[in-house]
Amino acid sequence: LEKKLGKSVRVIDKDGNVGIALNNASEKLHVSGNILATGTITPNSDIAFKKDIKPLTNVLNKVTQLIGINFTYKNNNEESMGLVAQDVEKVFPELVKGEEGNKSLNYMGLTGALIEAIKELSAKVETLEAA
């Protein structure tokens, strides 16, 4: 099933993936362009969806290896900031998907590491203040 709206839009492909403004969706919903939501985007996080749960430890060293950058998107000249998937992949490979030239980064997955890194820093500060 395919519809035309300016650019090619494949509504549903043979795998049940929906692509907007692209021909080959690699996820259940794959959008080429910006997405605006007037509500909250909320991923499932209930323990019922998870297994093999282990606390993150010693993440401060990994987080400090990440390099925050300013950049301009090539396709629309929009300025933004963030991280490079290949840099994150070196320390948190589970947050990066895709092949070279088309890697994506699970930014929401960084939240746990950032929280634990703050807690590690806080413990170091408390130790220094107590000295």
Side-chain angles (χ1 to χ4, degrees), residues 66-86:
L66 301 178
I67 302 166
I69 60 167
N70 286 306
F71 62 91
T72 303
Y73 283 105
K74 291 180 179 179
N75 66 335
N76 62 8
N77 284 326
E78 183 179 317
E79 293 180 359
S80 192
M81 64 175 66
L83 302 165
V84 173
Q86 286 84 344

Side-chain angles (χ1 to χ4, degrees), residues 1-91:
L1 196 65
E2 190 165 313
K3 297 191 181 229
K4 299 286 185 184
L5 296 172
K7 294 183 178 181
S8 176
V9 176
R10 182 173 297 248
V11 177
I12 301 176
D13 70 12
K14 63 181 176 38
D15 298 317
N17 294 341
V18 176
I20 299 175
L22 53 90
N23 290 320
N24 298 312
S26 62
E27 299 289 339
K28 288 299 173 194
L29 175 62
H30 187 158
V31 178
S32 178
N34 295 341
I35 299 171
L36 175 64
T38 58
T40 302
I41 299 172
T42 308
N44 288 332
S45 189
D46 193 281
I47 197 164
F49 296 105
K50 301 173 184 184
K51 66 179 187 176
D52 302 328
I53 297 169
K54 296 172 244 156
L56 293 172
T57 58
N58 301 314
V59 292
L60 181 58
N61 182 51
K62 290 180 178 182
V63 167
T64 59
Q65 293 177 53
L66 301 178
I67 302 166
I69 60 167
N70 286 306
F71 62 91
T72 303
Y73 283 105
K74 291 180 179 179
N75 66 335
N76 62 8
N77 284 326
E78 183 179 317
E79 293 180 359
S80 192
M81 64 175 66
L83 302 165
V84 173
Q86 286 84 344
D87 292 340
V88 176
E89 188 173 35
K90 293 173 188 170
V91 291

